[in-house]
């Protein structure tokens, strides 16, 4: 009888326009943002059909019912980025009054839909889509942000246990702060130079982007699977690294689609056969265009998961569930 097994993790960076305002406009990304209202119920339904558990890492701003509730939740310490382009607080004055009026900056109904479903984790993507490695911000400002994120979730009967750092900017000095406020795990990055987020300027240069695009279709960085026993507990918070970004369907690269999906499937098979973890991630808004094509690809992956579950005892867990399993093993 098998005593060990591998795990599939899926984490979703749920941010709406708060995660995009510094790189896009609502007009040039309108379809993707608008369709998140359809994407999330469809994601939850498909995951439930295949007994998959999702982790929705959610920006704290989205929890607010209206602007008054958002304003009352704001921390007194706000990030002082040297580049003001990164500061979301500059947008608040001009956003709408509530979710009906402005569905790109509020998502209380979607969060409540996920919460009442009961099968999935709601985690943090920080309160303000906080950039932990950008110049100018401070540890005190980050802590104020995390406190605000935990508090607004608690007001909606949600206990935050996991965090995904925006743009995957992991500042190791801040991990202790997360642990202090009850967070037990975070999504780390793949162990390859093309994913390094410490130098934010390098991350966005053409070379890094080209390598990451190539890696979506060809196995450049490896499958990035790992055993639960190899996870690292840093400052009281568990690092659960990503294995692959689930790049959305692209008409420009449609002839390469079989390669992209095959690359993910091979990683899943490797993880299942070797009792390892495969951690897939993306943003709900990535599915907002070419929705049917994206969901077809996702269902193909979920069908493979079902086979691996049957033949190799492969399991689907949330980030917090995996962290709890890790701690249970450590305490034995």
């Amino acid at each position: 009888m098998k005593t060990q097994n591998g795990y599939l993790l899926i984490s979703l960076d749920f941010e709406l326009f708060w995660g995009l305002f510094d790189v896009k406009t609502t007009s040039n990304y309108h379809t993707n943002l608008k369709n998140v209202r359809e994407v999330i119920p469809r994601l939850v339904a498909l995951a439930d059909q295949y007994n998959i558990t999702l982790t929705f890492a959610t920006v704290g701003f989205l929890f607010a019912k209206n602007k008054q509730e958002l304003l009352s939740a704001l921390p007194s310490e706000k990030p002082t980025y040297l580049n003001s382009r990164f500061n979301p607080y500059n947008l608040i004055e001009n956003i709408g009054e509530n979710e009906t009026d402005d569905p790109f900056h509020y998502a209380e109904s979607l969060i409540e839909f996920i919460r009442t479903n009961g099968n999935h984790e709601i985690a943090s993507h920080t309160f303000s889509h906080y950039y932990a490695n950008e110049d100018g911000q401070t540890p005190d400002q980050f802590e104020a942000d995390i406190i605000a994120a935990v508090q607004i979730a608690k007001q909606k009967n949600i206990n935050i246990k996991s965090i995904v750092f925006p743009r995957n900017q992991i500042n190791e000095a801040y991990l202790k702060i997360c642990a202090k406020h009850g967070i037990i795990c975070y999504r780390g990055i793949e162990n390859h130079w093309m994913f390094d987020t410490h130098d934010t300027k390098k991350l966005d240069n053409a070379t890094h982007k080209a390598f990451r695009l190539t890696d979506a279709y060809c196995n450049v960085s490896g499958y990035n699977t790992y055993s639960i026993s190899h996870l690292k507990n840093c400052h009281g918070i568990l690092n659960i690294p990503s294995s692959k970004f689930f790049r959305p369907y692209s008409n420009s690269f449609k002839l390469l689609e079989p390669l992209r999906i095959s690359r993910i499937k091979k990683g899943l098979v490797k993880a299942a056969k070797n009792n390892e973890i495969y951690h897939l991630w993306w943003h709900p808004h990535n599915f907002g265009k070419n929705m049917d094509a994206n969901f077809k690809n996702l269902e193909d992956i979920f069908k493979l998961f079902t086979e691996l579950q049957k033949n190799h005892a492969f399991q689907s867990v949330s980030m917090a569930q995996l962290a709890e399993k890790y701690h249970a093993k450590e305490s034995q």
Side-chain angles (χ1 to χ4, degrees), residues 8 10 12 42-54 120 246 265 268 280 282 287 295-309 316:
L8 168 65
I10 295 178
L12 299 149
R42 195 166 166 182
L43 262 176
V44 167
L46 189 67
D48 288 350
Q49 181 183 340
Y50 287 92
N51 296 311
I52 302 279
T53 301
L54 306 173
H120 309 285
F246 189 29
K265 285 181 173 180
L268 275 180
L280 193 63
W282 70 97
F287 276 25
F295 273 100
K296 179 188 178 301
N297 285 335
L298 185 62
E299 187 162 16
D300 283 348
I301 290 165
F302 284 3
K303 285 176 179 175
L304 175 60
F305 166 79
T306 300
E307 289 177 33
L308 297 173
Q309 186 180 45
S316 169

Side-chain angles (χ1 to χ4, degrees), residues 100-128:
T100 305
D101 184 33
D102 186 350
F104 295 173
H105 292 98
Y106 301 90
E108 189 199 38
S109 69
L110 288 172
I111 294 166
E112 180 62 7
F113 167 77
I114 298 164
R115 188 189 73 81
T116 55
N117 172 275
N119 296 331
H120 309 285
E121 179 185 9
I122 296 174
S124 181
H125 201 34
T126 73
F127 184 65
S128 65

Side-chain angles (χ1 to χ4, degrees), residues 61 70-81 87-90 92 126-131 136-149 151 174 177 180-181:
F61 282 178
L70 177 58
L71 291 171
S72 67
L74 300 185
S76 54
E77 291 251 16
K78 299 176 181 63
T80 50
Y81 303 117
N87 198 333
Y89 290 92
N90 297 334
I92 291 175
T126 73
F127 184 65
S128 65
H129 203 258
Y130 193 104
Y131 295 143
Q137 51 79 35
T138 70
D140 285 346
Q141 292 164 1
F142 177 78
E143 182 164 23
D145 185 279
I146 292 303
I147 291 170
Q151 284 181 344
Y174 291 177
I177 294 170
K180 177 182 172 183
H181 296 288

Side-chain angles (χ1 to χ4, degrees), residues 88-225:
Y89 290 92
N90 297 334
L91 275 67
I92 291 175
E93 185 181 348
N94 295 315
I95 67 172
E97 287 300 316
N98 53 46
E99 191 173 350
T100 305
D101 184 33
D102 186 350
F104 295 173
H105 292 98
Y106 301 90
E108 189 199 38
S109 69
L110 288 172
I111 294 166
E112 180 62 7
F113 167 77
I114 298 164
R115 188 189 73 81
T116 55
N117 172 275
N119 296 331
H120 309 285
E121 179 185 9
I122 296 174
S124 181
H125 201 34
T126 73
F127 184 65
S128 65
H129 203 258
Y130 193 104
Y131 295 143
N133 284 333
E134 292 296 346
D135 293 335
Q137 51 79 35
T138 70
D140 285 346
Q141 292 164 1
F142 177 78
E143 182 164 23
D145 185 279
I146 292 303
I147 291 170
V150 169
Q151 284 181 344
I152 199 166
K154 195 168 285 184
Q155 289 167 14
K156 311 291 178 177
N157 298 311
I158 294 163
N159 183 22
I160 297 293
K161 292 184 176 181
S162 313
I163 189 167
V164 169
F165 291 92
R167 306 276 160 87
N168 292 310
Q169 290 187 18
I170 298 154
N171 186 327
E172 289 190 15
Y174 291 177
L175 297 179
K176 197 178 290 186
I177 294 170
C178 293
K180 177 182 172 183
H181 296 288
I183 295 172
I184 62 172
C185 60
Y186 70 97
R187 188 180 71 209
I189 56 171
E190 295 98 307
N191 186 24
H192 195 281
W193 63 264
M194 74 175 83
F195 301 108
D196 186 7
T197 55
H198 289 96
D199 186 336
T200 59
K201 296 173 185 66
K202 273 187 183 176
L203 186 67
D204 289 330
N205 72 25
T207 303
H208 280 62
K209 285 183 174 179
F211 268 94
R212 291 198 300 272
L213 178 62
T214 304
D215 189 57
Y217 301 94
C218 307
N219 188 3
V220 179
S221 70
Y223 292 116
N224 297 297
T225 60

Side-chain angles (χ1 to χ4, degrees), residues 247-251 254 257 260 286 289-290 293-294 297:
R247 190 174 287 272
Y249 176 91
S250 167
N251 284 317
K254 63 183 177 184
E257 278 296 287
R260 183 173 70 85
N286 293 140
K289 268 189 180 171
N290 304 306
N294 281 313
N297 285 335

